[in-house]
Amino acid sequence: QVQLVESGGGLAPAGGSLRLSCAVSGSVSIVNTMGWYRQAPGKQRELVAIISRSGEVNYAEGVKGRFTASRDNAMKTVDLQMDSLAPEDTGVYYCTAELRKGDSVSWSSHWGQGTQVTVSS
């Protein structure tokens, strides 16, 4: 069984920082593209950042310059450093990964359960 577990969410003041982490566990042979999504109350889930296995990152325009995604392929983790937080960053943040399980030749996508980020004004 494959699991993605996010951590690091919580409360932060406007202008503050939080660092989210996501760890992949289970029998996984390759973790390809990973990403962070978020969903604000009453809104659709939106892409925050995607990061390739080589570490190339594409950011949503609204977070570019404030958020930094990184990954450690050996540890099978992806982080999201969030600086200069604003109330509109509030939402549930989800980690996702495209991966190949150890007992399969096919690709599959997996999601974490999400971690709440709340930014006060």
Side-chain angles (χ1 to χ4, degrees), residues 5-110:
V5 180
E6 303 98 337
S7 62
L11 302 175
S17 297
L18 287 172
R19 186 176 183 89
L20 307 183
S21 295
C22 173
V24 177
S25 63
S27 182
V28 176
S29 59
I30 302 174
V31 180
N32 198 24
T33 302
M34 304 185 74
W36 288 96
Y37 288 73
R38 68 186 181 188
Q39 187 167 22
K43 302 294 184 180
Q44 295 182 352
R45 187 175 299 186
E46 64 176 356
L47 178 68
V48 176
I50 54 173
I51 182 168
S52 71
R53 183 171 175 82
S54 64
E56 298 175 351
V57 185
N58 289 322
Y59 298 97
E61 282 297 318
V63 307
K64 192 175 299 181
R66 299 188 298 121
F67 292 8
T68 304
S70 59
R71 66 186 290 169
D72 187 322
N73 290 337
M75 296 292 292
K76 297 178 182 176
T77 60
V78 60
D79 291 353
L80 184 69
Q81 177 68 42
M82 304 185 295
D83 298 319
S84 301
L85 285 165
E88 53 263 39
D89 295 316
T90 293
V92 179
Y93 283 68
Y94 299 90
C95 173
T96 186
E98 177 189 50
L99 53 83
R100 181 178 290 166
K101 299 177 181 178
D103 60 351
S104 176
V105 297
S106 62
W107 296 97
S108 60
S109 296
H110 296 262

